[in-house]
Amino acid sequence: MDLRDIHTPVMLGRCLALLGPALSREGAVLVDATLGMGGHAEAFLERFPDLRVIGLDRDRDALRIAGERLARFGERIVFVHTVYDGIADAVRGVGAPAVDAVLFDLGVSSLQLDEAERGFSYARDAPLDMRMDQSTGITAADVLATYGEGDLRRIFERYGEEKLAGRYARAIISARSDGRIERSGRLVEILVAATPAAVQRAGHPAKRVFQALRVEVNAELAAVERAIPAALGVLAVGGRIVVLSYQSLEDRIVKRAFADATTSTAPAGLPVELPEHAPRFRLLVKGAELASDEERATNSRSAPVRLRAAERIREDIPTKEAA
């Protein structure tokens, strides 16, 4: 099957438009920090014939598929197996002093959702794995088997924003006395049984719990908190960053990091802003942009997306204190 049939890059046109001015320069370098199956990277490599791409992904299957898809571009793309918070090391590893653009397409990938045996989807019965990098780390089944009631409640509340977190945690603790909860179908049964009928009519009871487990297993929010500042740090002056987020927790982290980078650090009451206190970045879009109605109608995965973008406008200048 043609990969174009199974992977439609989200907000592709907008990403090209926002990052394009930084990528038109000779020898430009783009870091696709969440390469996935290579849909965004392919479009950029086609649009900008002189562009080089550093493609990062923690999922070895994604890197393999992207490698096949992008093989025709030869040495113009370098593949790096790493979590996206390793962006600075990846850039240094290929000998680039700085890059011209960075793209993050956060959250679970199309590949991971579409492969039932990975256990990301509550709609299909499969082993509860949920690791984006299946070569390391604990699985969702491990979390369900070893976490106490308080910890389960915490992750459901914090990472899933689940109002019934306590009820679901108690139900899981009770159910696992009969044996490990190894499959998504079994977990869905437990959650549905613990959900009042009125709540079930408002949406699938497993959605937020599955999101919370995925975030916990992959330490996603901690990685995002490290990755965005690191990405800002590798951008050259005039370089641009676009981040696509799919849940409010991710978007809040991105919003906060961009606010810090685009705000003066001058002490209150200072009569003249010193150069080292001036903002290092400027926002390219106001707030968070949504996918168009047309795109949401044709690509359901674009429905929750929030896009934020910024541009570096000056180098970092060490303050006297830092010096």
Side-chain angles (χ1 to χ4, degrees):
M1 180 183 290
D2 193 321
L3 285 171
R4 295 171 183 81
D5 295 331
I6 62 174
H7 178 219
T8 303
V10 172
M11 295 188 78
L12 176 58
R14 193 65 178 124
C15 292
L16 287 165
L18 286 166
L19 297 180
L23 297 178
S24 299
R25 65 183 74 173
E26 184 177 354
V29 177
L30 162 71
V31 177
D32 188 336
T34 47
L35 184 63
M37 290 186 286
H40 283 104
E42 180 180 51
F44 278 99
L45 287 162
E46 289 176 342
R47 176 70 63 88
F48 303 99
D50 195 37
L51 176 67
R52 292 183 297 138
V53 172
I54 304 170
L56 317 182
D57 210 291
R58 67 170 73 182
D59 190 325
R60 294 181 187 274
D61 286 343
L63 288 172
R64 174 182 54 78
I65 293 171
E68 296 172 0
R69 180 177 191 165
L70 305 175
R72 60 193 170 99
F73 297 105
E75 295 182 355
R76 290 177 59 203
I77 181 164
V78 176
F79 302 94
V80 182
H81 177 237
T82 185
V83 183
Y84 39 68
D85 61 354
I87 184 171
D89 287 339
V91 170
R92 285 192 293 267
V94 300
V99 301
D100 301 281
V102 177
L103 173 65
F104 285 90
D105 187 10
L106 298 173
V108 64
S109 74
S110 299
L111 171 65
Q112 291 154 354
L113 283 173
D114 290 341
E115 289 193 346
E117 64 272 16
R118 302 289 292 272
F120 287 96
S121 174
Y122 54 81
R124 291 171 289 185
D125 184 43
L128 280 166
D129 192 317
M130 294 195 190
R131 290 173 299 168
M132 292 178 178
D133 179 354
Q134 291 187 297
S135 67
T136 187
I138 63 171
T139 67
D142 293 331
V143 170
L144 294 174
T146 61
Y147 280 32
E149 181 180 327
D151 285 332
L152 289 174
R153 176 173 183 163
R154 173 184 56 81
I155 66 171
F156 297 161
E157 287 178 337
R158 182 178 180 189
Y159 301 148
E161 299 179 292
E162 175 54 66
K163 295 179 180 178
L164 297 180
R167 179 190 288 258
Y168 290 152
R170 288 191 297 274
I172 289 167
I173 295 296
S174 176
R176 78 186 190 190
S177 63
D178 295 327
R180 278 176 61 101
I181 303 167
E182 296 277 6
R183 301 188 66 84
S184 56
R186 174 62 180 142
L187 178 56
V188 169
E189 290 176 359
I190 295 165
L191 297 174
V192 169
T195 305
V199 177
Q200 290 188 37
R201 290 192 290 270
H204 200 291
K207 180 178 181 179
R208 295 181 183 276
V209 169
F210 271 63
Q211 173 182 297
L213 287 170
R214 189 200 81 216
V215 171
E216 174 71 8
V217 165
N218 297 288
E220 289 179 47
L221 296 185
V224 174
E225 288 178 334
R226 294 187 295 266
I228 303 303
L232 296 174
V234 301
L235 280 173
V237 173
R240 294 184 167 200
I241 180 172
V242 167
V243 183
L244 303 174
S245 304
Y246 294 83
Q247 45 131 316
S248 60
L249 298 171
E250 292 171 342
D251 185 54
R252 287 175 204 158
I253 294 170
V254 179
K255 179 181 179 180
R256 187 164 56 246
F258 280 16
D260 290 344
T262 57
T263 301
S264 171
T265 59
L270 198 69
V272 178
E273 182 180 65
L274 298 176
E276 62 265 29
H277 292 300
R280 298 168 295 135
F281 289 80
R282 70 179 182 94
L283 297 177
L284 295 174
V285 299
K286 185 177 181 179
E289 286 191 4
L290 309 180
S292 66
D293 292 341
E294 179 181 1
E295 180 170 359
R296 281 184 280 179
T298 57
N299 183 5
S300 61
R301 288 178 182 161
S302 69
V305 72
R306 299 291 185 272
L307 179 150
R308 295 184 186 272
E311 179 183 30
R312 180 181 277 278
I313 55 177
R314 73 164 178 85
E315 294 281 5
D316 293 338
I317 302 176
T319 62
K320 292 181 180 179
E321 292 80 1

